[in-house]
Amino acid sequence: MFKEKYNEGKMLRGKAPRNDQAFWKKPTQRPSILKMIGLSNYDRLPELIPVRHFRMSKSPFVFYRATASIMARDLSSTPSPGITAHICGDCHLMNFGAFATPERHLVFDINDFDETNPGPWEWDLKRLVVSFVLAAREKGFDKKDTYDIVQKLVGVYTERLKEFSAMNLLDLWYLKFDLEVLRRESKEQWIRERLSRDIDKANKQTHDRVFYKITSNNMGKFEISDQPPLIRHPVDVAESLDIINAFLKQYTSTLQPDRRWLFEQYKVIDVTLKVVGVGSVGTRCFVVLLLNDNNDPLLIQVKEARESVLVPYTQNSIYAHNGERIVQGQRLIQAASDIFLGWSTGPKGRHFYFRQLRDKKLSPEIADYNKSMLTEYAKLVGGILARAHCKTGKGAVICGYIGKGNAFADAICRFADAYADQTEKDYDDFMKAVKAGKLPVEEEQKKIKIKIER
């Protein structure tokens, strides 16, 4: 079966030669950056749009994080062999991280699935490689060092793709990138020391520790502390609690029976709005505090689920509910997922999904990465992406298309360099629009008061 699928992928080189993966040319009908940013701001909380622009203005690398919709549009004009897999959709280097499995093991995996949907598999790889080029440029690495990093990424992705494609499917589904195992098996002392530090840091992110960090006790009543503008109580807390309780009932129906029973042992105590990320700023996101009879805390993030940016250029999701699309995509691609993943419909028919907040979670700190660190990180996420693409059964077909030699890797690296140039030009246009007053910008110290819509 592997050989048949491999040959199927090999035949697709006639449809889209591997060298064509280097192609990037700005489409003649491409809208202006001002227009595309405006479209991406649709139905966001207007009070937060200037904060979103402010965060995007930091650098081309950060700007790129917020423009998955622009890249999806651009990728739709590039050559593709037509191999469709269930993809992340926003495979940026910052959308990976460590978290605890239900068995409480620390693993490293993709952790952002807002845009997940069936789509061309190479779109994930291209977006990931471009993010490394932009990160390397921001850190001042020269062209050779940058090329070395992305070559290593694509090389490991290809190697692991072959390895995982040949694995027993059950073994592949059980495979996890366990941080303890990675630390134990690493041959480099500095990597073992770094992982030890990261593991210790992640293990401190317990529910109790986070609870006492973000809450206050007011005469025996716990509530989430305001940290304006990042965490704020809505104008009408009582109204917001009513809304949360109303659509929690639908959410619990999306959980497995045992997990539903567990969740129902907790009662909602408080709810706040939370500003998250870069691209998600302005979407409706809440933190919900729940306590059980013993005052054990549970912190749940409720995040708005919008239509995937891939949909206009790929295919509609098989799920009518965008929260379900995200949850089911995450379960399909990740090695292990949060036991409280679920979805519901909220005010005005908007879709939401639920997950635990900061459950031993850890994000990469690339600000202090040197070339060696960024290279090792690139190799790690390259392998994780290979496993994700193999889990949905397309690994052997992709292997056949990539084939042997460096033709495919060289093409992807050339594309990444060209598209990073395009991103920097887009960023310059974005900043011109900001300076001209066409895109409002507000520093995060602004006092934001938002009333939750019914």
Side-chain angles (χ1 to χ4, degrees):
M1 183 60 73
F2 175 86
K3 187 174 182 180
E4 291 176 5
K5 290 185 176 180
Y6 185 94
N7 288 334
E8 178 187 337
K10 188 174 181 180
M11 292 294 292
L12 292 171
R13 298 178 200 169
K15 178 180 178 181
R18 291 168 294 177
N19 288 334
D20 285 2
Q21 295 303 323
F23 173 80
W24 166 248
K25 182 179 180 182
K26 186 171 76 169
T28 55
Q29 300 301 315
R30 190 180 195 245
S32 68
I33 287 300
L34 180 62
K35 183 174 181 178
M36 288 191 286
I37 296 297
L39 290 172
S40 71
N41 286 334
Y42 172 74
D43 198 36
R44 295 177 189 262
L45 292 166
E47 300 92 334
L48 291 177
I49 289 174
V51 176
R52 180 176 189 250
H53 294 161
F54 175 75
R55 290 191 176 186
M56 292 169 65
S57 68
K58 183 178 178 181
S59 70
F61 174 72
V62 179
F63 172 82
Y64 180 72
R65 287 189 65 187
T67 53
S69 59
I70 294 176
M71 190 170 193
R73 178 193 289 268
D74 288 340
L75 288 171
S76 69
S77 68
T78 58
S80 176
I83 305 171
T84 298
H86 203 106
I87 64 176
C88 167
D90 187 10
C91 198
H92 187 286
L93 69 86
M94 293 301 295
N95 287 340
F96 293 74
F99 56 87
T101 70
E103 298 79 24
R104 315 317 291 154
H105 296 161
L106 279 172
V107 297
F108 206 88
D109 211 330
I110 303 172
N111 63 6
D112 190 311
F113 294 89
D114 287 9
E115 312 304 342
T116 189
N117 202 58
W121 65 275
E122 73 274 12
W123 290 15
D124 269 354
L125 183 60
K126 286 181 174 180
R127 182 153 177 80
L128 180 60
V129 175
V130 173
S131 71
F132 273 92
V133 172
L134 289 168
R137 289 183 182 184
E138 182 166 289
K139 296 179 71 63
F141 295 172
D142 62 29
K143 202 173 185 70
K144 181 182 181 302
D145 285 345
T146 301
Y147 188 78
D148 287 346
I149 292 168
V150 295
Q151 273 279 2
K152 288 282 195 322
L153 190 163
V154 182
V156 169
Y157 171 82
T158 303
E159 291 170 8
R160 302 308 295 270
L161 199 69
K162 294 175 183 176
E163 176 188 344
F164 297 149
S165 297
M167 283 179 66
N168 176 284
L169 187 57
L170 279 176
D171 290 341
L172 177 63
W173 274 69
Y174 290 137
L175 177 68
K176 299 176 178 64
F177 287 80
D178 188 297
L179 289 190
E180 291 284 0
V181 175
L182 291 173
R183 176 176 63 177
R184 184 170 63 248
E185 295 182 349
S186 175
K187 298 177 182 178
E188 298 286 344
Q189 177 66 22
W190 70 266
I191 296 178
R192 293 196 297 272
E193 292 175 353
R194 180 83 187 202
L195 286 173
S196 293
R197 192 195 77 178
D198 290 345
I199 290 169
D200 289 342
K201 183 177 180 180
N203 280 327
K204 292 176 182 177
Q205 292 281 2
T206 63
H207 273 295
D208 285 342
R209 187 180 181 92
V210 175
F211 169 67
Y212 287 110
K213 184 177 181 180
I214 73 169
T215 64
S216 58
N217 187 341
N218 185 11
M219 299 181 66
K221 181 181 179 182
F222 289 101
E223 63 179 25
I224 302 170
S225 304
D226 283 340
Q227 299 176 32
L230 302 181
I231 300 177
R232 293 187 61 90
H233 281 87
V235 173
D236 190 331
V237 176
E239 179 186 39
S240 299
L241 284 170
D242 288 343
I243 293 170
I244 291 292
N245 279 309
F247 81 118
L248 275 177
K249 292 181 180 179
Q250 182 186 352
Y251 157 69
T252 57
S253 70
T254 69
L255 298 174
Q256 293 177 193
D258 59 333
R259 296 171 182 183
R260 185 184 313 142
W261 180 90
L262 175 60
F263 183 80
E264 288 173 348
Q265 307 313 302
Y266 294 81
K267 180 182 177 182
V268 176
I269 302 299
D270 196 17
V271 58
T272 60
L273 284 154
K274 187 175 189 298
V275 179
V276 295
V278 180
S280 294
V281 176
T283 60
R284 294 149 185 85
C285 183
F286 308 90
V287 174
V288 182
L289 168 64
L290 304 97
L291 297 175
N292 65 10
D293 291 342
N294 295 324
N295 279 338
D296 299 327
L298 175 62
L299 290 159
I300 295 289
Q301 184 181 62
V302 183
K303 192 174 181 186
E304 186 177 2
R306 293 153 65 96
E307 181 181 81
S308 169
V309 297
L310 303 181
V311 166
Y313 317 105
T314 54
Q315 64 188 59
N316 290 328
S317 171
I318 62 172
Y319 303 106
H321 195 288
N322 279 306
E324 183 176 9
R325 170 185 60 79
I326 292 169
V327 169
Q328 302 296 10
Q330 183 166 346
R331 289 172 176 165
L332 185 63
I333 296 175
Q334 272 187 335
S337 298
D338 187 348
I339 64 170
F340 289 115
L341 271 180
W343 64 91
S344 185
T345 303
K348 294 190 175 181
R350 290 190 175 91
H351 297 171
F352 292 83
Y353 70 99
F354 294 61
R355 64 187 180 191
Q356 292 184 75
L357 178 72
R358 298 185 197 173
D359 183 30
K360 295 193 174 184
K361 292 180 180 176
L362 190 68
S363 298
E365 298 175 353
I366 66 163
D368 62 345
Y369 282 13
N370 57 25
K371 182 195 172 185
S372 295
M373 293 176 179
L374 196 60
T375 301
E376 291 302 317
Y377 182 64
K379 290 159 62 177
L380 173 61
V381 299
I384 290 171
L385 182 60
R387 190 214 56 212
H389 288 163
C390 286
K391 279 191 71 180
T392 55
K394 295 301 178 74
V397 182
I398 298 170
C399 281
Y401 177 75
I402 292 175
K404 301 175 182 179
N406 296 320
F408 176 79
D410 289 343
I412 291 294
C413 293
R414 293 201 305 275
F415 169 86
D417 192 56
Y419 197 82
D421 289 345
Q422 180 66 59
T423 300
E424 290 176 343
K425 292 174 183 176
D426 290 343
Y427 173 76
D428 289 342
D429 289 343
F430 170 78
M431 292 306 297
K432 288 175 183 176
V434 167
K435 292 173 182 177
K438 296 178 181 179
L439 290 171
V441 171
E442 185 67 51
E443 293 189 21
E444 298 183 16
Q445 284 69 30
K446 176 185 177 182
K447 294 180 179 180
I448 302 168
K449 293 183 179 180
I450 304 167
K451 184 177 176 62
I452 304 302
E453 303 164 333
R454 278 200 177 276

